Amino acid sequence: MRAIDRKLLRDARRLKSQLVAIALVMACGVGAFLMAVSASRSLEATQAAYYERAAFAHVFAQCKRAPLSLADRVREVPGVAAVDPRVVVSVNLDLPGMFEPAAGLIVSIPEREEPVLNRLHLRRGRLPQPGRPGEVVVSEAFAEAHGMNPGFTFGAVINGRLERLSVVGVALSPEFVYSLRPGGFVPDDRRYGVMWMRRDQLAPSFDLDGAFNNLAVAVSPGASEAAIIDAIDRLTAPYGGESAYGRSEQVSHRYVTDELSQLRNMVRVTPPVFLAVAAMLINIVISRLVRTQREQIALLRAFGYTQADVGRHFLALVAMVGALGALLGIVLGATMGSLLTGLYVRFFRFPELRYHMEVWVALLAVGVTIGAACLGAGWSVLRAMRLAPADAMRPEAPAVYRPSIVERLGLDRTLWPSAKMVLRHLQRHKVRTAVSMLGVAATVAILTLGSFVNDAIDTLIDLEFHTAQRQDVLVTFNEPRSTRALHELRAAPGVIAAEPFRVVPARLWNGPRLRREALQGVPADAELRRVVDHRFREVPIPPDGLVISAGLAELLDARAGDELFVETLEGQRPTLRVRVHRIVENYVGTGAYIDMDALNRAMGQGPTLSGAALTVDAAAAARLYNELKHTPGVATVTIKRAALESFEQTLAENLLTMRLFNLAFACVIAVGVVYNTARILYAERAHELATLRVLGFYRTEIAGIFLGELAVVTLVALPVGMAAGYALCGAATWAMQTETHRIPFVVAGRTLAFAGTVVLLVATTTAMFVRQDLDRLNLIEVLKART
Amino acid sequence: MPSGRATTRPPAGTAAFSARGVTKVYRMGEVEVRALDGVDLDLFAGEFVVLLGPSGSGKSTLLNILGGLDVPTSGTVRYRDHDLSRLDDRALTRFRREHVGFVFQFYNLVPSLTARENVALVTDISADPMPADEALSLVGLGERMDSFPAQLSGGEQQRVAIARAVAKRPDVLLCDEPTGALDVKTGKVVLRAIARANEQLGTTAVVITHNAAIAAIADRVVHLSGGRVARVETNTSRMSTDDLSW
Ligand SMILES: Nc1ncnc2c1ncn2[C@@H]1O[C@H](COP(=O)(O)OP(=O)(O)OP(=O)(O)O)[C@@H](O)[C@H]1O
Ligand SMILES: [Mg+2]
C-alpha cells in the first residue's frame, strides 16, 4: 500500500463517526428512493403479469337487460378479441354475528366452463358445481374478514327473498384487486364482499334468463379502445346501456394505478432533501479537513505529488462515504421496499406479490449518491488541489474576527464575553453556520412533511363525515322510486328524518370532451347531504344549472357559464343542455350537482328518488337495520359511523408505519447534522475552551459556550425548518394529487410543534454526547500547542 | 476546601505555597517518566521567583501543579490552608479562578475577543477585579484595547495575556516561558509588566525561563534538574528589568 493511501485510511478512521453519520443520512435518501422505486416497480410488474395471466378485460359496460345474442354482435365489432356477457347484481347480505347490513356484489360465471375474461384464481375450494343451487365463490378479502371457508353459509337478499348461500371456494379476480364499495374511500371487507355464482343460478332471480346486464370485453392489441366503446354504446343503448368505460375508469384498476403513481411521486420530494443534506455535510467536513491539512498537502506537493494526486486523494475519501451510504441505502431500501410491498398485500389482492429490486435501479442509486457526495466536496477539493506548495507551508492566516452584527446594531452592552465569542464565531464561519442551520431545518421540514398527512386526513374526515354528510345511514335503491318509498322509510323504526336524493348516470360533454359522471340531484333544502367546498362552506344548488367539482371542471375543461351537453343514461334517456353555474373546490372525487326537482323534471318524471339519507335513533338502530336487510329494492345501506371507523382504522395503521419510517429518517438527519457540527465545533474550539478552563471557568460554563453555539444554530433553524416544512407539504400535496383526488393543504400547529420538539430532543442528546469530550479536555496538552 | 476569596493577602514573608515530597509520574505502558521526583519547596508571599532548568527537568509540571491544573502523584502541595493535592476538579477550578493568574508561552488569547474582552473574560468571574482598561494600561496597551488578537504583535498579545492574568488581582502569577517567543526588546517589556504586578499589587510571581540572565530580576532563583530542586539562590539585590540584557 502506498503511503498516501495509508494516510487516507488513517484520516478515514479518525473521522469515522462523522463519516458514518453522513453515510447514514445518505443511506436514508437512497433507501427512501429505492423503497419507492422498487416497490412501485414490483407492484407494476405484478399487476401486469396478473392481468395477462387472468385475462383482465379492457372495457366494461353496464346495461339493464340485453339478450345474449347482443353479445355476439359485440364480438363482431372490429378489434374486439373476447366478450363475456355477465349478470352483475348487488345484494344485501345477512351475515352471522353482524346486526348491521352488509352489501355484496354477485358476478356470474358461465354455466359450465370457466370465464374467458377476468379468470378466477382459486385460493381454496372449487368453483360452484353446474346446476347446484346456492353455491358461491367469495373473494379472499371478504372471506378473511369473516373467517369464511368452504362450507360456510350466510344469507343474501336476492331480489327480495332471503336465500342461503354456501361458500365452496375462495378466489381472487383481476377485477377486484382492490375492492371498494360504491361511495367508499377505503376497502371495508367486513361490510362489502364480492362473490361469484354460476349464471343459471343467478340470472332467473333477476329476470335475466338468456340475457345479461354487464359486459366485459377484451380488446385486440392495436385496436382503438375509444372506437370499441363507441360501438358498444351504440349497441347497448336500446337495452338501457350505461356508457362503456375502459380500465382507466374501472375502480380497482384506477386505485392501484393511482397508488403506484403516488408512490413514484414520493421519490421527488424526500430523497433529494436527504442527498442535499448529506452533500452539505460532506462539504463542511471536507473543507475543514482540507483547512487543517494545508501543511500536509503542501508537503505532498513539495515532494512531487501532482494536483491530480491530491484531488484523487480527497475524492477517494468522499467516494468511500458515498459508497458506504449507497450500500447501506440499498439494504435499507430493499428492507423497507419489501415491507411496504407487504403492506400493499393487505389492500391489493394479487395472487402473489413478488418483490424485486432491479440491478440498474440500485446502480443508479449508487451513482447518484457518489455523485452527490463528490459535488458536496468539489469546491474544497479544488481548493486543496490549487494550494501552491510554498503558500501552504505557512500556516493559514489567523482567523479575522469582527464584532458581530448584533453588536454592531448596538445591542452588545448586555452581552457577556462568552456570548460574544459564540456570536462572532458563528459569524466568522458563515458558510458552515448556514449549512448546519439548513441541515437542522431540513430535519424539521421532513418531520413536518411526515406528520402533516394526519392533519390533512383529519380535515378530510371533518369535511366529508361531519360537515358534508350529516346523516347516520345512507340507503340506496335498486331502481328509482316514488315518494312512497320515502314515506315508508320515514315510518321505519328509529328513523328521525329522511332526506331523498336522486342519482342519474350520465355522460357529460363539453365540446369534444367527455366524462362519465352521475348527476347528483340534491333537494332544495338539503340538511343531511350537502355540497360543501374545501373551506367547509355550504354551496347552494341553483334551481337551474349545475355545480361541478373542480376536478370535473378540469377534466371537461369547463368554466362557470359554459353550457354542457348531458346525455342521461336512465329511463327515457333525455339529453339536456345545462349551464355550469359554479365550480366548487373539493378534495375527493368528482361530482356534478343539480337541483333534484329540476333533475326529475328534466327526466320527465314526477318526484323520484334513488335513495335517502337518514338520521336514526341509536336505540332503535338494530331494528331498523334488520328491517332494511329484508326490504326489497334496497340496494345498499351504508352506516356512516362504521364507514368512518374502517376508514380511520385502515389509515391509522398505514400512516403509523409511514410516520415511523419518517421519524427514523428525520432523526438520522438530525443526528448527522448536529453530530458533525458539534464535532467540528469541538475540534475548532477545544483549545480556546481549555484556555478558559485554565483561567478558572467551570466545566459547566465552557459547556455553556459550546452548547450555546449549537443552541443558536438549532433555535434559528427551527422556524426556518417549519417554514420550509410548510412549503414542502405544499409541494407534496401538489405532487400527490391525482386527477380526482387532492389532499388538503393543512399543517396543524401540533404538527409543527411535534417536529420542533423531536429535533430539539435529538439535537440536545447528540450535543450532550459530544459534550462529554469537553470533560476530558487535557488542559496541559493544550497549553503546549501553538493555538 | 478553599475558603471564599481572600480579602487579605498573606503578609510578605510567610509561605504562600509549600510543596513537600511532590512527585509526578507519567506512565506510558511499560515506561515510567518521573517528571517530578520529591520536590520540597516553599514560595513566600509577594516574592518574585524564577524557575530555571534544562528542558525536561519538570519546570512546567511543577508550575502546573502549583497552579491547580494538575495534581501530584504523591506528596502534598499546600496553598495557605488548602491542600491542593486533595482537591477535585471543581475545587481546583475554583482555586484557579480565585487565586491564580496564568501566562503562557503561546499567549492563549481567545481570538474572537478583543484585548479588552479577553481581560473582561476573567474580570467578569472574579470578586474584586480591576477594570479591564486599567489592567491594559498597566501593561502599556491602553491604546489597543479594541483590537483583536490577530491585529496585535506577539509581544502585544503576551501583554494582553499578562493584563488578563493580573486584572483579577491574583495572589499568584504563574508564567511559563512568557518571553520564549519574543525578541529581547519585547521580552523586556513583558517582564516589566510582570515585575510591576509583583511590586505594585504584591502578587507572588513565579516565572519559568530558559534564560539565566532573567534570573537577575528575581528575589530567588530555583534550579530544577531531573525532577528535583538542585539548588535555590537568593539574590541580595534585584536588578531592574530595564538593566537586563541577553
Ligand atoms: N503528558 C505527559 N506524558 C508523559 N510524559 C510527560 C508528560 N508531560 C511531561 N512529561 C515528561 O515529564 C518531564 C517533565 O516535563 P516538563 O514539561 O515539566 O519539562 P520542562 O522542564 O517544562 O521542559 P521544557 O523546558 O522543555 O518546557 C519530561 O521528561 C516530559 O517528557
Ligand atoms: Mg516547560
Side-chain angles (χ1 to χ4, degrees):
Chain A
M1 187 188 281
R2 298 198 311 161
I4 189 169
D5 297 328
R6 194 159 289 149
K7 167 181 177 302
L8 183 75
L9 290 182
R10 297 247 164 90
D11 284 346
R13 189 171 319 150
R14 195 166 48 80
L15 292 171
K16 74 170 173 291
S17 38
Q18 279 171 265
L19 298 181
V20 166
I22 296 174
L24 284 177
V25 174
M26 289 182 160
C28 287
V30 176
F33 172 80
L34 287 178
M35 169 186 79
V37 171
S38 64
S40 67
R41 292 189 65 85
S42 298
L43 282 169
E44 264 165 45
T46 306
Q47 184 192 34
Y50 181 42
Y51 282 2
E52 178 72 36
R53 196 147 39 93
F56 181 43
H58 298 99
V59 173
F60 302 84
Q62 181 85 30
C63 61
K64 280 245 157 327
R65 182 181 194 285
L68 280 174
S69 58
L70 189 74
D72 296 329
R73 292 181 55 200
V74 172
R75 222 167 257 129
E76 282 155 17
V77 171
V80 168
V83 175
D84 187 7
R86 313 181 290 179
V87 173
V88 177
V89 291
S90 40
V91 295
N92 277 322
L93 303 178
D94 188 16
L95 290 156
M98 265 185 83
F99 79 94
E100 299 158 10
L105 189 75
I106 309 185
V107 179
S108 73
I109 56 174
E111 276 153 47
R112 320 212 148 263
E113 355 31 290
E114 291 201 20
V116 282
L117 297 176
N118 308 319
R119 284 189 208 118
L120 296 181
H121 176 96
L122 273 176
R123 288 285 211 201
R124 288 192 292 281
R126 55 170 174 81
L127 291 182
Q129 230 149 53
R132 191 85 65 80
E135 287 192 352
V136 291
V137 167
V138 294
S139 68
E140 185 184 52
F142 186 50
E144 273 174 14
H146 290 279
M148 293 174 176
N149 271 311
F152 188 94
T153 63
F154 60 95
V157 183
I158 293 184
N159 224 7
R161 294 219 340 261
L162 183 65
E163 300 198 5
R164 289 222 74 74
L165 300 180
S166 103
V167 175
V168 295
V170 174
L172 301 176
S173 156
E175 250 185 305
F176 302 99
V177 170
Y178 188 81
S179 68
L180 207 55
R181 70 184 298 163
F185 296 112
V186 291
D188 183 357
D189 296 324
R190 261 185 84 67
R191 293 180 196 83
Y192 185 73
V194 181
M195 53 213 90
W196 293 267
M197 273 174 99
R198 295 281 180 196
R199 77 167 287 130
D200 53 336
Q201 299 304 320
L202 184 61
S205 319
F206 292 90
D207 189 25
L208 288 166
D209 256 337
F212 65 88
N213 69 354
N214 185 287
L215 274 181
V217 176
V219 174
S220 306
S224 155
E225 185 181 288
I228 290 172
I229 286 176
D230 265 359
I232 294 174
D233 283 350
R234 268 195 306 278
L235 289 169
T236 57
Y239 304 98
E242 291 173 20
S243 185
Y245 54 92
R247 283 182 181 176
S248 62
E249 289 181 56
Q250 202 265 345
V251 172
S252 163
H253 177 83
R254 207 192 63 213
Y255 266 86
V256 176
T257 309
D258 277 358
E259 191 62 41
L260 286 175
S261 80
Q262 285 193 7
L263 202 50
R264 278 192 300 269
N265 282 337
M266 268 173 61
V267 172
R268 295 195 207 153
V269 183
T270 324
V273 173
F274 279 94
L275 286 188
V277 170
M280 291 192 288
L281 289 180
I282 290 257
N283 173 291
I284 61 174
V285 170
I286 298 296
S287 76
R288 157 128 188 114
L289 188 66
V290 168
R291 214 168 341 113
T292 53
Q293 295 196 346
R294 276 171 66 93
E295 290 163 56
Q296 299 178 38
I297 296 167
L299 213 64
L300 290 174
R301 298 276 285 115
F303 289 162
Y305 283 90
T306 63
Q307 285 198 338
D309 287 331
V310 171
R312 249 198 313 274
H313 179 66
F314 286 104
L315 282 184
L317 186 69
V318 173
M320 270 165 59
V321 181
L324 179 64
L327 217 69
L328 290 174
I330 289 174
V331 174
L332 190 69
T335 314
M336 293 191 310
S338 64
L339 249 153
L340 185 66
T341 314
L343 255 182
Y344 279 116
V345 176
R346 295 173 40 199
F347 300 98
F348 295 160
R349 298 285 172 163
F350 289 111
E352 52 185 354
L353 218 160
R354 209 174 285 144
Y355 173 76
H356 67 124
M357 186 190 290
E358 286 137 308
V359 175
W360 69 266
V361 176
L363 287 180
L364 181 71
V366 174
V368 169
T369 313
I370 294 183
C374 289
L375 217 64
W379 195 68
S380 305
V381 173
L382 269 183
R383 227 177 27 163
M385 290 167 65
R386 292 229 187 92
L387 268 181
D391 274 351
M393 285 301 210
R394 268 175 262 126
E396 198 171 11
V400 177
Y401 286 91
R402 292 188 303 145
S404 64
I405 294 171
V406 180
E407 297 163 63
R408 272 179 277 151
L409 292 175
L411 305 171
D412 61 317
R413 237 142 286 155
T414 50
L415 285 184
W416 283 48
S418 45
K420 289 181 183 167
M421 284 168 68
V422 167
L423 289 179
R424 288 177 191 168
H425 194 256
L426 284 171
Q427 186 172 310
R428 165 87 182 80
H429 299 276
K430 282 192 204 69
V431 174
R432 204 193 53 229
T433 304
V435 166
S436 303
M437 281 178 181
L438 278 179
V440 176
T443 316
V444 180
I446 286 200
L447 276 170
T448 309
L449 181 65
S451 308
F452 103 102
V453 179
N454 271 13
D455 303 335
I457 301 237
D458 282 351
T459 308
L460 267 188
I461 287 178
D462 207 17
L463 186 63
E464 279 298 321
F465 289 100
H466 300 307
T467 310
Q469 308 200 27
R470 300 196 290 193
Q471 81 279 8
D472 298 318
V473 175
L474 193 72
V475 175
T476 61
F477 301 125
N478 283 326
E479 302 272 337
R481 305 278 291 273
S482 73
T483 41
R484 240 191 67 202
L486 186 64
H487 297 311
E488 281 168 17
L489 278 178
R490 285 190 175 135
V495 173
I496 298 167
E499 181 180 291
F501 64 86
R502 182 79 172 90
V503 178
V504 176
R507 304 212 292 178
L508 309 187
W509 296 85
N510 184 33
R513 295 217 182 206
L514 162 69
R515 169 86 184 173
R516 271 165 33 92
E517 186 74 52
L519 288 182
Q520 309 272 345
V522 181
D525 47 358
E527 279 293 320
L528 298 183
R529 291 184 87 221
R530 307 180 304 161
V531 180
V532 174
D533 73 4
H534 67 312
R535 294 254 159 77
F536 291 74
R537 289 175 303 217
E538 182 175 359
V539 177
I541 306 299
D544 51 349
L546 273 179
V547 170
I548 63 174
S549 68
L552 180 60
E554 202 170 302
L555 288 166
L556 288 173
D557 192 23
R559 263 168 285 276
D562 287 358
E563 198 177 59
L564 299 187
F565 183 71
V566 180
E567 249 185 292
T568 60
L569 302 168
E570 199 189 273
Q572 301 301 312
R573 302 186 159 230
T575 54
L576 330 166
R577 289 181 176 281
V578 195
R579 197 167 291 284
V580 174
H581 178 81
R582 182 166 167 184
I583 289 165
V584 51
E585 293 287 338
N586 69 335
Y587 293 121
V588 181
T590 54
Y593 308 95
I594 187 168
D595 180 75
M596 187 168 108
D597 293 336
L599 179 58
N600 278 328
R601 271 197 308 279
M603 295 298 291
Q605 294 165 323
T608 308
L609 58 147
S610 308
L614 313 179
T615 49
V616 170
D617 173 10
R623 278 202 299 144
L624 173 67
Y625 299 153
N626 196 45
E627 183 161 323
L628 287 174
K629 275 184 204 174
H630 302 102
T631 307
V634 168
T636 62
V637 176
T638 310
I639 298 156
K640 189 176 81 179
R641 180 188 44 74
L644 181 58
E645 270 168 19
S646 79
F647 180 71
E648 284 181 328
Q649 192 189 336
T650 313
L651 280 170
E653 285 170 20
N654 288 310
L655 286 179
L656 188 67
T657 315
M658 293 312 283
R659 274 186 84 174
L660 286 179
F661 277 157
N662 181 274
L663 186 65
F665 279 12
C667 288
V668 169
I669 289 205
V671 171
V673 172
V674 177
Y675 182 72
N676 272 292
T677 307
R679 270 270 149 254
I680 288 180
L681 209 59
Y682 179 81
E684 280 179 0
R685 305 294 295 258
H687 188 271
E688 217 170 281
L689 295 177
T691 303
L692 294 188
R693 289 274 289 127
V694 169
L695 294 180
F697 280 67
Y698 292 116
R699 281 178 178 167
T700 46
E701 288 169 328
I702 58 161
I705 296 175
F706 176 71
L707 297 176
E709 202 157 326
L710 289 172
V712 170
V713 167
T714 310
L715 292 178
V716 173
L718 283 183
V720 175
M722 289 177 183
Y726 194 76
L728 214 54
C729 291
T733 45
W734 178 79
M736 289 200 285
Q737 75 183 6
T738 63
E739 267 186 347
T740 53
H741 288 50
R742 284 179 301 158
I743 292 168
F745 179 26
V746 186
V747 183
R750 57 145 203 234
T751 296
L752 294 173
F754 169 76
T757 311
V758 169
V759 170
L760 270 183
L761 280 178
V762 173
T764 311
T765 318
T766 311
M768 292 317 262
F769 182 72
V770 177
R771 178 209 182 278
Q772 292 182 329
D773 283 10
L774 273 186
D775 293 341
R776 291 184 220 119
L777 269 183
N778 188 332
L779 304 188
I780 297 161
E781 206 74 23
V782 161
L783 297 174
K784 283 184 194 161
R786 188 192 299 268
T787 44
Chain B
M1 292 290 286
S3 63
R5 192 189 141 80
T7 46
T8 54
R9 234 164 255 292
T14 60
F17 284 100
S18 62
R20 291 292 174 272
V22 171
T23 300
K24 180 74 186 179
V25 180
Y26 290 107
R27 202 155 302 178
M28 293 173 298
E30 300 288 282
V31 193
E32 259 190 13
V33 179
R34 290 194 157 251
L36 293 176
D37 191 7
V39 170
D40 295 329
L41 184 67
D42 287 310
L43 297 176
F44 299 101
E47 72 172 335
F48 193 124
V49 174
V50 162
L51 273 181
L52 279 178
S55 185
S57 56
K59 304 183 294 295
S60 297
T61 307
L62 179 60
L63 195 82
N64 290 341
I65 289 174
L66 293 178
L69 285 176
D70 205 352
V71 285
T73 314
S74 65
T76 56
V77 181
R78 300 191 67 81
Y79 172 75
R80 294 167 63 198
D81 46 356
H82 319 313
D83 186 349
L84 297 186
S85 44
R86 288 182 203 286
L87 297 183
D88 64 5
D89 177 79
R90 191 172 171 81
L92 281 175
T93 306
R94 187 159 166 198
F95 165 69
R96 292 199 297 274
R97 187 175 189 144
E98 290 172 354
H99 302 286
V100 187
F102 280 106
V103 178
F104 301 98
Q105 182 177 2
F106 298 119
Y107 331 136
N108 289 295
L109 297 180
V110 175
S112 58
L113 295 180
T114 62
R116 192 209 306 262
E117 288 159 352
N118 261 285
V119 177
L121 205 53
V122 170
T123 55
D124 281 344
I125 59 168
S126 357
D128 176 31
M130 64 177 81
D133 310 17
E134 190 184 323
L136 283 164
S137 304
L138 203 65
V139 296
L141 276 181
E143 307 293 299
R144 303 296 306 274
M145 290 192 293
D146 291 320
S147 302
F148 284 93
Q151 299 163 328
L152 296 171
S153 75
E156 286 165 342
Q157 289 188 47
Q158 190 60 299
R159 280 187 280 157
V160 174
I162 291 168
R164 186 175 68 179
V166 301
K168 65 171 165 192
R169 305 181 204 278
D171 299 332
V172 277
L173 189 55
L174 302 177
C175 312
D176 196 342
E177 301 189 45
T179 58
L182 304 175
D183 65 19
V184 178
K185 190 162 158 280
T186 325
K188 278 202 268 192
V189 176
V190 164
L191 285 175
R192 194 177 306 130
I194 296 170
R196 235 163 117 182
N198 169 249
E199 284 155 16
Q200 296 181 359
L201 306 172
T203 309
T204 310
V206 181
V207 176
I208 293 179
T209 178
H210 278 286
N211 190 337
I214 292 174
I217 63 168
D219 292 316
R220 288 198 300 157
V221 184
V222 177
H223 292 266
L224 281 186
S225 166
R228 294 166 180 273
V229 178
R231 64 197 154 90
V232 179
E233 294 171 59
T234 308
N235 287 334
T236 42
S237 65
R238 279 171 64 179
M239 190 188 276
S240 152
T241 46
D242 298 329
D243 304 332
L244 271 179
S245 63
W246 67 82

